[in-house]
Amino acid sequence: MAGTIDLRTEIREFLRSRRARITPDTAGLPAYGGNRRVKGLRREEVALLAGVSVDYYVRMERGALAGTSEGVLDALASVLRLDDAERDHLFHLARQSGAPGGRRRREPTAAVRPALRQMLDAITDAPAWIRNGRHDVLAMNHLGRALYAPVLADPRRPANTARFVYLNPDAAAAFFVDYDQIAHNAAASLRREVGRDPHDEELVALVGELSTRSELFRRQWASQDVRLHGYGSKRVDHPAVGRLDLDFESMELPAEPGLHVNVYTAPAVGPAADRLALLAAWAAGEKTLETELAAPGA
């Protein structure tokens, strides 16, 4: 795979895939007799509903989004019934297309500031870590390292959760209770990141590696799905403490472009809280063991 993503191909495949899932009936168009040769809406039907000429929409679907007004993009998002993540992706693709020279490079944050590491360490009762849009784990608190011990078993650094999900599927399926959904979400969030920064060479390399080595990733990447990774639930089967049903919040750090802090919590009372406490005790034991092994003469 080259060092950049072909934006025109990204736009074309995304719009075609979204158009294919909308039927004339759901779009409020009259049903005409005879067999339709296309799945979903025709291009001329999308143009009609969006209020643009057929030629204009055809140019858009061929990848020419540069200069498209927000009003037209909004109309297109409405016609194609895009959700928030999909609409966001469409606008990112349009902005990237209109950038000078076709490039709108976002410089990734190279390192996690010491103050952010202190913030993580101050969160003592919940697993927490900082990641980038490629799913590289850049910093973790002690409970975060304990929770994601299976992910960190791979010595490659930075640890990458997408790589773990797709290239170590047996371990990932044993760890993540909802493995199929986790895998789908990983591909969908990487697709969104491609729309945000198609010139990130490390992101392009990761997508290339996963595409080459994982048939599951290739199938899910081809779906063109995108996803916002804001909050939700995560169910894991931890090798030391068993099943943990956790809530998570993923918050973007405004002063650090591209970085997010993930925090995992549980209700104050209940099985999840008990197992989090057990995880903390296990983590403390592991830390004590590490200290003992590192001591002179050990």
Side-chain angles (χ1 to χ4, degrees):
M1 182 176 288
T4 188
I5 295 289
D6 183 354
L7 270 174
R8 295 183 74 91
T9 300
E10 282 292 304
I11 294 165
R12 181 177 68 248
E13 296 303 319
F14 178 67
L15 290 179
R16 283 180 177 176
S17 68
R18 303 307 95 168
R19 174 166 62 88
R21 69 185 185 180
I22 307 296
T23 65
D25 182 59
T26 57
L29 292 173
Y32 297 105
N35 294 325
R36 295 174 62 90
R37 293 187 299 171
V38 298
K39 181 181 179 182
L41 294 178
R42 298 186 178 99
R43 287 171 174 164
E44 56 266 30
E45 291 169 334
V46 174
L48 172 67
L49 293 169
V52 298
S53 71
V54 175
D55 287 344
Y56 189 79
Y57 177 71
V58 169
R59 288 198 301 272
M60 292 171 66
E61 194 172 285
R62 286 176 177 170
L65 284 183
T68 305
S69 70
E70 288 194 6
V72 170
L73 291 174
D74 272 327
L76 184 57
S78 178
V79 170
L80 298 178
R81 303 198 173 190
L82 303 186
D83 62 22
D84 289 344
E86 293 167 334
R87 183 186 181 281
D88 186 60
H89 185 58
L90 176 64
F91 273 73
H92 279 306
L93 291 173
R95 282 193 289 270
Q96 292 288 349
S97 298
R103 298 179 67 86
R104 186 175 182 270
R105 187 73 171 91
R106 290 185 305 116
E107 291 299 326
T109 302
V112 175
R113 291 186 288 108
L116 290 175
R117 293 182 181 273
Q118 293 172 22
M119 177 192 73
L120 289 179
D121 290 338
I123 303 173
T124 57
D125 295 330
W129 53 85
I130 292 173
R131 64 169 181 85
N132 59 24
R134 296 187 299 269
H135 293 283
D136 291 331
V137 179
L138 303 179
M140 311 180 86
N141 67 2
H142 192 55
L143 205 51
R145 289 189 291 272
L147 179 65
Y148 264 32
V151 180
L152 300 176
D154 184 340
R156 186 169 177 176
R157 293 293 181 269
N160 183 278
T161 54
R163 190 176 285 117
F164 173 69
V165 165
Y166 287 109
L167 303 187
N168 198 351
D170 291 340
F175 180 61
F176 292 116
V177 175
D178 304 300
Y179 172 75
D180 291 342
Q181 188 63 49
I182 292 291
H184 175 268
N185 290 348
S189 58
L190 283 177
R191 171 71 70 183
R192 180 175 182 269
E193 188 65 16
V194 160
R196 288 167 60 89
D197 191 357
H199 311 295
D200 180 341
E201 293 182 358
E202 292 185 50
L203 173 62
V204 174
L206 175 63
V207 171
E209 178 187 4
L210 298 179
S211 298
T212 300
R213 299 178 59 189
S214 170
E215 180 183 354
L216 176 60
F217 180 80
R218 289 194 296 273
R219 291 201 310 267
Q220 294 182 337
W221 188 250
S223 74
Q224 296 290 323
D225 289 341
V226 292
R227 179 177 184 268
L228 294 169
H229 193 72
Y231 63 92
S233 60
K234 188 70 62 72
R235 303 191 298 171
V236 302
D237 191 358
H238 194 275
V241 303
R243 171 75 170 265
L244 281 158
D245 294 1
L246 302 173
D247 299 310
F248 77 85
E249 296 287 339
S250 182
M251 297 161 283
E252 192 165 5
L253 297 171
E256 307 290 345
L259 295 192
H260 300 252
V261 57
N262 285 14
V263 182
Y264 287 71
T265 61
V269 178
D274 294 341
R275 291 191 182 274
L276 265 184
L278 187 60
L279 180 68
W282 177 79
E286 290 289 299
K287 186 173 183 179
T288 299
L289 179 59
E290 290 174 3
T291 302
E292 291 174 352
L293 291 176

